[in-house]
Amino acid sequence: MATLQKVKAGDLLVGRLSHGADLLEELTEICLERNVRLGRIEAIGAVQEARLAFYDQQKKEYRFLEIKKPLEIAKLVGNVSIKDGRPFVHAHITLADERGNAHGGHLAKGTVIFACEFILHPLEGSDLVRQYDPETGLPLWGME
Ligand code: ZN
């Protein structure tokens, strides 16, 4: 059974991230500074290097993939919810290399921004709180 709630759209935030900063950390910082507890994120741009994760469903653990070269951010899409009492960004990213080949996965710390334009869409509704889900081993949204 799916879990869901109705939310209202807040005012959009649009901006540019810092050259050389960590992509996931800077998006998280913006949510903390602006007190965005629920929302959606999208972004395009380029990274100097990337660190992605793939969730091994059998072992119930993330495997990490490092790509140590410049890549285009063809698409970043993510959401903001609450984990461990604070805003938490969960994002997936598709990156394109110099040949147009795509790499993708769960965005992990260690992805360094070259340039990045983002749209952060805060949503108004009940907090979505991440809780350990024994079926998947992941911190998924709990609904009360
Ligand atoms: Zn993920």
Side-chain angles (χ1 to χ4, degrees):
M1 181 75 181
T3 52
L4 59 112
Q5 66 159 313
K6 201 168 177 179
V7 296
K8 285 203 168 120
D11 291 337
L12 294 168
L13 298 166
V14 179
R16 179 168 71 83
L17 301 180
S18 313
H19 177 82
D22 185 280
L23 181 52
L24 183 58
E25 285 184 344
E26 189 150 79
L27 289 172
T28 302
E29 279 298 312
I30 291 165
C31 293
L32 291 168
E33 282 169 13
R34 298 288 179 145
N35 198 30
V36 176
R37 299 175 65 85
L38 184 64
R40 63 185 294 263
I41 298 174
E42 60 183 278
I44 56 172
V47 300
Q48 299 175 44
E49 58 183 57
R51 185 161 172 264
L52 308 176
F54 174 85
Y55 192 67
D56 184 322
Q57 297 177 13
Q58 295 301 317
K59 292 183 179 168
K60 293 186 176 175
E61 63 186 27
Y62 280 105
R63 294 203 304 252
F64 292 90
L65 168 68
E66 293 183 356
I67 308 171
K68 300 275 189 189
K69 64 180 183 180
L71 299 156
E72 295 288 320
I73 303 172
K75 173 94 180 180
L76 177 149
V77 63
N79 58 53
V80 186
S81 60
I82 300 298
K83 185 173 174 231
D84 302 325
R86 67 199 291 262
F88 174 82
V89 173
H90 178 203
H92 286 198
I93 192 167
T94 305
L95 299 160
D97 68 16
E98 71 279 8
R99 299 174 66 87
N101 294 318
H103 308 263
H106 175 100
L107 177 64
K109 272 185 202 171
T111 299
V112 181
I113 299 162
F114 181 75
C116 184
E117 299 165 349
F118 73 94
I119 298 174
L120 172 58
H121 195 175
L123 300 171
E124 293 162 11
S126 302
D127 281 351
L128 287 176
V129 179
R130 292 192 177 275
Q131 299 164 349
Y132 176 75
D133 173 60
E135 204 166 34
T136 61
L138 290 165
L140 300 182
W141 288 340
M143 301 271 179
E144 276 109 42

